[in-house]
Amino acid sequence: MKIAFLGLGAMGVRMVEHLLKAGHDVTVWNRTSEKMAALVEKGAAKAESPKVAAAGKDAVFSMVRDDEASQTVWLDEASGAIHGMSAGSVAVECSTLSLAGVQTLAQAFRVQGRALVDAPLSGSRPQAEAATLVFFAGGDNDAVAKVTPLLNTMGSAVHHAGPVGSGAAIKLAVNAMLATQVATMAELCKFLQAQDLPVPGALEMMASSPVFSPAANLAGQSMANSNFAPLFPVELVAKDLDYFQRSSPNAAVISQVKQTFDAALAAGFGDEQMTAVVKLDR
C-alpha cells in the first residue's frame, strides 16, 4: 500500500521501519528533517509537508505529541495533510489526544468527506521495536478494516472500540490506570523502606500475589533500581492525565494521581521515566 507517516519520534521511527520491512511504499514527514534521513536510507521517501506526503496515499498515519501538534499536522490551511488526501484514503491518528481533540479532527474530516480512524496504542519503545503494540481503533467498519492489516504490521492486536473517539477513550483510561499503579508503587516502595525491608525482595514476594500486575512489578523494579531512563516520561503522563481530567473532572482518585505527576513535573523530572515520581519528597 501507499502510506504517508507523519511524525518520527521514538515511536514513529520504529513503526515506519516495520511498514518498510513489510514492503509498503512509505513517504515520511517530520517537523525536523534530520529524523527522516535514516528512514530514507532504508527505502522511505520524504516529503516537504504533510499535505505533500498525503497526496495519492491509501492511508496517512500521524504519531505526534498532543492535540496542538495533531491539528497542525492534519488541519493547517497551507500544509495540513487533510488537504492532500484523495477520496478513499484513510487518516489514522495514532497519537494520544484529548476526546475534544479527536472530535475536532472528526468534524474537519466529515466536512472534507474523508475517513478518519483514531487508533492510539498501548506500548512503548520496546513494544514498537518488537511490533507488539496494541491498537484501540475508533471509526466506521470499512475504514478500520482497511487499515487493520497495516496496524497488525506494527502491532500484535487491533481492537475496534467503536466510532471515532472510542479509541482515544480506551487509551486515556489505560494510561490513567497505569499512572495510578505507578503513583501507588512509589508510595509502597517508600513504605517498605520505612519498615527496613529490602525493596527488591519485598516486591518479589508481592509479585506472587494475584493482585500484583506486571505493570506494577516493572514500576517497582524501576524504582528499586533507580532506573529512570525515559520510555514513557513524566511530562507525557501528566499531559494524558490532563486530557483524562478534562472529560472526567470528578474522578477523585485520578485527580490525586494527576497532582502527583504535576508535582514531579514541577520538580524537574519531566524528561525522566514516569517512575521518577518516587523521588518526590511529599
Side-chain angles (χ1 to χ4, degrees):
M1 295 179 72
K2 293 183 178 181
I3 301 165
F5 204 104
L6 315 173
L8 302 175
M11 299 293 287
V13 166
R14 290 164 171 82
M15 294 163 73
V16 169
E17 287 176 345
H18 292 299
L19 293 171
L20 290 170
K21 288 176 184 176
H24 295 292
D25 180 351
V26 185
T27 298
V28 295
W29 173 87
N30 192 65
R31 185 174 54 85
T32 54
S33 60
E34 305 83 57
K35 290 191 175 182
M36 293 189 279
L39 291 172
V40 169
E41 290 181 0
K42 295 179 179 180
K46 66 177 181 179
E48 63 187 22
S49 72
K51 179 180 178 179
V52 172
K57 301 302 187 295
D58 300 305
V60 183
F61 287 82
S62 166
M63 185 66 181
V64 294
R65 187 184 188 281
D66 54 21
D67 284 2
E68 182 179 2
S70 173
Q71 290 177 26
T72 298
V73 162
W74 290 113
L75 306 182
D76 183 85
E77 290 186 7
S79 63
I82 194 172
H83 305 300
M85 291 174 62
S86 55
S89 180
V90 178
V92 188
E93 180 53 272
C94 294
S95 315
T96 303
L97 305 182
S98 70
L99 301 190
V102 174
Q103 293 308 321
T104 295
L105 293 183
Q107 175 60 24
F109 276 86
R110 280 193 292 270
V111 169
Q112 292 288 333
R114 299 291 182 262
L116 171 67
V117 173
D118 71 300
L121 51 93
S122 178
S124 190
R125 299 178 197 184
Q127 291 75 32
E129 189 108 14
T132 57
L133 299 168
V134 175
F135 292 92
F136 310 112
D140 69 47
N141 292 336
D142 290 343
V144 173
K146 182 172 182 176
V147 299
T148 291
L150 299 175
L151 296 174
N152 278 326
T153 298
M154 300 178 284
S156 59
V158 179
H159 300 286
H160 189 180
V164 171
S166 302
I170 297 292
K171 174 61 186 292
L172 291 178
V174 167
N175 281 7
M177 180 169 60
L178 173 60
T180 300
Q181 292 181 74
V182 170
T184 300
M185 285 307 303
E187 296 188 0
L188 295 180
C189 284
K190 291 179 181 180
F191 167 78
L192 295 169
Q193 287 177 327
Q195 312 314 311
D196 294 324
L197 289 168
V199 174
L203 292 175
E204 185 176 347
M205 285 184 273
M206 292 172 67
S208 68
S209 164
V211 304
F212 204 66
S213 74
N217 192 19
L218 287 172
Q221 297 296 335
S222 168
M223 295 171 188
N225 296 321
S226 297
N227 178 13
F228 305 122
L231 294 173
F232 189 8
V234 166
E235 64 172 339
L236 292 183
V237 179
K239 181 265 293 185
D240 292 351
L241 290 172
D242 177 60
Y243 286 171
F244 181 97
Q245 191 176 53
R246 292 184 195 182
S247 297
S248 188
N250 297 320
V253 172
I254 294 170
S255 292
Q256 289 294 316
V257 173
K258 180 180 180 297
Q259 289 181 27
T260 296
F261 280 91
D262 286 345
L265 190 60
F269 304 147
D271 60 353
E272 298 185 51
Q273 175 63 358
M274 62 189 302
T275 49
V277 294
V278 76
K279 297 194 290 183
L280 282 172
D281 183 7
R282 304 297 291 270

